[in-house]
Amino acid sequence: MQIFEYNGSALVAMVGKNCFAIASDRRLGVQLQTIATDFQRISKIHDRLFLGLSGLATDAQTLYQRLVFRHKLYQLREERDMKPETFANLVSAILYEKRFGPYFCQPVIAGLGDEDKPFICTMDSIGAKELAKDFVVAGTASESLYGACESMFKEDMEPEELFETVSQALLSSVDRDCLSGWGGHVYVVTPTEVKERILKGRMD
Amino acid sequence: MSRRYDSRTTIFSPEGRLYQVEYAMEAIGNAGSAIGLLSKDAVVLVGEKKVTSKLLQTSTSTEKMYKIDDHVACAVAGIMSDANILINTARVQAQRYTFAYQEPMPVEQLVQSLCDTKQGYTQFGGLRPFGVSFLFAGWDKNYGFQLYMSDPSGNYSGWKAAAIGANNQAAQSMLKQDYKDDITREEAVQLALKVLSKTMDSTSLTSEKLELAEVFLTPSGSVKYQVCSPESLSKLLLKFGVTQPATEAS
């Protein structure tokens, strides 16, 4: 039994023109059995920063709760929200603390930094950051996602086109993965608004 | 006679008093005052800024009011450095609770937890007590809006209206006369500003010398802590007829 494939997940984040999109599947399973079809894998840290956590669901929940703890204290002390780059460093540090007994999660971080510049990154379960200019993927469907994103991605897409691209990449990739799917959850974030949309795909 | 019993925090005097704790309260009696008022739909906190100088670098941070968590805030009176330590402790305690129970920490439990910390400094360790009094204002789903006052001894109690810092006796008796149980949020702000203006011993009352903060429920039902901006505060002072113009150089 592979621990990273116990619950099943698919996550992707993509950069557009002054905006970003972060999307996930909605399945929560226990190996071959599907338990929930409305599982939230992406959480908001603040209005311009989103975190998606793939991998073992219990570790994803605990890690998220710990990050909220740290971010809340940061907000109270510094009287401002955390920048995405700073948050990514925090996540990396927290994951590395557990170097010899890690959280079985792969996070995807997406946010708008200074001057509304989109920032995305992913890291492995012990905090090795991977900054990308175009897209990042995570989860059991990551190999399909890499292929789909690589072929569908274009630079400087507007929010509407970005939404279409991310949705098509996500749905086509999870269709090839039995452990993820049951629809999609897409957030498209611009400096002025956050658009949250649910996708209906193959419900299997 | 008190000489032999007042230099260590951890011993009682023959009369049964803890002198160090009482001396801490003396220190607070010289600090800028703060008043808290509980109304039907909000808790109002007003503070007097003692440190006003043209040379002070202006910043958006507040001097008297601090947010502890989304649903709890406090006003301080006393030694600011001691207050900073306790505020940080309170913030961490609130987050630890939320981490464990995934819901906001009830206000009284937060106050109690902080007071337990303060009490520790009056019983063991040989360290002096914190020279700070707090007014905690918050909302939780069990008891609604609440106001608590705590002092260096680690005692706390819930109040409908309370005052700490300089001239707190005078402020407290004024509040006792004028406070009504079903006071509204605007009336509470008005009463707080009126009482503070009477007990402050500065000749001119401007929005630079005051801080006003409220804990209330937004129309969508979530708790919000908001500090009044200096512009709105000036307008309120004018509206309630509480501004005293700066005395002209004679």
Side-chain angles (χ1 to χ4, degrees):
Chain A
M1 186 203 77
Q2 299 279 50
I3 191 74
F4 278 101
E5 281 145 37
Y6 188 75
N7 293 125
S9 53
L11 270 177
V12 57
M14 229 184 239
V15 166
K17 195 171 163 116
N18 294 329
C19 64
F20 67 85
I22 182 167
S24 74
D25 72 321
R26 303 189 79 203
R27 178 183 179 272
L28 176 73
V30 172
Q31 295 188 300
L32 53 91
Q33 182 173 28
T34 301
I35 303 291
T37 55
D38 56 0
F39 188 65
Q40 282 263 32
R41 222 158 243 123
I42 297 172
S43 319
K44 184 170 92 158
I45 301 290
H46 61 74
D47 286 330
R48 293 153 62 98
L49 178 57
F50 285 76
L51 170 71
L53 287 165
S54 67
L56 196 62
T58 176
D59 283 356
Q61 282 176 349
T62 302
L63 183 60
Y64 169 66
Q65 288 163 11
R66 280 192 65 190
L67 289 164
V68 165
F69 181 105
R70 298 289 299 263
H71 181 254
K72 274 260 173 79
L73 285 174
Y74 183 97
Q75 261 182 337
L76 285 166
R77 286 178 191 142
E78 307 226 1
E79 293 177 5
R80 64 186 177 94
D81 290 332
M82 232 191 233
K83 284 195 272 211
E85 298 84 355
T86 314
F87 185 72
N89 282 322
L90 176 66
V91 179
S92 174
I94 287 181
L95 289 173
Y96 196 82
E97 268 172 18
K98 303 267 186 215
R99 172 66 177 79
F100 300 108
Y103 288 114
F104 296 114
C105 294
Q106 199 185 348
V108 164
I109 295 157
L112 288 174
D114 287 334
E115 283 135 39
D116 297 338
K117 191 160 179 293
F119 170 87
I120 53 168
C121 91
T122 185
M123 54 192 82
D124 67 8
S125 56
I126 45 176
K129 274 191 302 197
E130 184 205 313
L131 306 170
K133 294 200 175 61
D134 39 18
F135 58 86
V136 290
V137 303
T140 49
S142 59
E143 278 156 9
S144 302
L145 277 165
Y146 272 122
C149 290
E150 194 68 59
S151 54
M152 295 188 204
F153 180 79
K154 287 197 324 267
E155 277 216 23
D156 286 336
M157 281 185 278
E158 294 292 331
E160 285 309 314
E161 198 191 347
L162 183 65
F163 166 68
E164 293 298 327
T165 309
V166 159
S167 309
Q168 291 295 347
L170 181 71
L171 289 177
S172 58
S173 307
V174 304
D175 284 350
R176 276 289 179 186
D177 177 21
C178 54
L179 295 174
S180 54
W182 282 91
H185 213 132
V186 188
Y187 292 84
V188 180
V189 181
T190 59
T192 46
E193 64 164 351
V194 173
K195 257 215 165 110
E196 182 186 339
R197 283 180 269 229
I198 309 275
L199 304 172
K200 189 164 180 330
R202 276 185 67 109
M203 300 308 205
D204 62 359
Chain B
M1 261 309 275
S2 68
R3 277 288 130 214
R4 286 156 61 198
Y5 301 99
D6 66 353
S7 48
R8 283 170 55 189
T9 56
T10 52
I11 51 176
F12 281 108
S13 75
E15 303 92 50
R17 294 157 71 170
L18 289 169
Y19 278 110
Q20 281 297 315
V21 173
E22 291 183 21
Y23 296 161
M25 302 209 218
E26 270 297 310
I28 295 164
N30 298 325
S33 30
I35 293 178
L37 272 151
L38 191 62
S39 75
K40 274 191 310 200
D41 45 356
V43 192
V44 176
L45 291 172
V46 187
E48 169 199 1
K49 287 205 265 204
K50 259 291 166 83
V51 193
T52 47
S53 157
K54 272 196 301 206
L55 291 176
L56 257 186
Q57 178 80 295
T58 48
S59 75
T60 48
S61 334
T62 49
E63 183 188 307
K64 306 274 305 171
M65 316 285 174
Y66 294 93
K67 187 172 166 189
I68 305 293
D69 197 356
D70 292 328
H71 63 299
V72 183
C74 69
V76 305
I79 303 175
M80 277 321 299
S81 46
D82 288 6
N84 282 334
I85 303 286
L86 285 170
I87 288 163
N88 192 50
T89 308
R91 285 173 172 167
V92 175
Q93 281 165 356
Q95 288 311 308
R96 277 213 200 107
Y97 184 99
T98 303
F99 179 75
Y101 302 104
Q102 290 300 299
E103 56 172 43
M105 190 170 190
V107 188
E108 183 167 357
Q109 286 195 37
L110 177 62
V111 176
Q112 186 154 31
S113 160
L114 195 68
C115 287
D116 288 348
T117 308
K118 289 208 257 190
Q119 187 275 345
Y121 286 75
T122 68
Q123 194 172 24
F124 46 79
L127 304 167
R128 67 162 175 83
F130 289 97
V132 206
S133 276
F134 285 102
L135 283 173
F136 287 98
W139 182 93
D140 60 46
K141 66 180 193 307
N142 300 306
Y143 294 104
F145 289 107
Q146 297 150 73
L147 175 70
Y148 294 94
M149 175 165 80
S150 81
D151 61 25
S153 64
N155 274 327
Y156 75 91
S157 41
W159 292 85
K160 296 178 192 173
I164 53 175
N167 298 328
N168 64 333
Q169 303 272 42
Q172 196 88 26
S173 45
M174 244 184 265
L175 287 168
K176 196 155 134 186
Q177 278 183 315
D178 295 333
Y179 181 82
K180 287 186 297 293
D181 273 335
D182 50 1
I183 198 173
T184 65
R185 182 174 156 191
E186 291 79 46
E187 285 168 357
V189 173
Q190 184 175 11
L191 180 56
L193 289 172
K194 195 181 88 174
V195 170
L196 195 62
S197 71
K198 292 226 174 87
T199 58
M200 267 170 74
D201 42 31
S202 61
T203 45
S204 70
L205 190 61
T206 59
S207 64
E208 285 151 12
K209 298 215 172 94
L210 290 182
E211 268 172 21
L212 168 67
E214 296 164 281
V215 177
F216 58 94
L217 287 176
T218 60
S220 60
S222 54
V223 201
K224 199 159 148 63
Y225 160 75
Q226 202 172 60
V227 182
C228 202
S229 66
E231 299 81 34
S232 332
L233 189 52
S234 303
K235 285 204 199 100
L236 280 172
L237 288 172
L238 281 171
K239 181 170 150 195
F240 297 138
V242 155
T243 316
Q244 295 152 33
T247 49
E248 305 274 315
S250 51

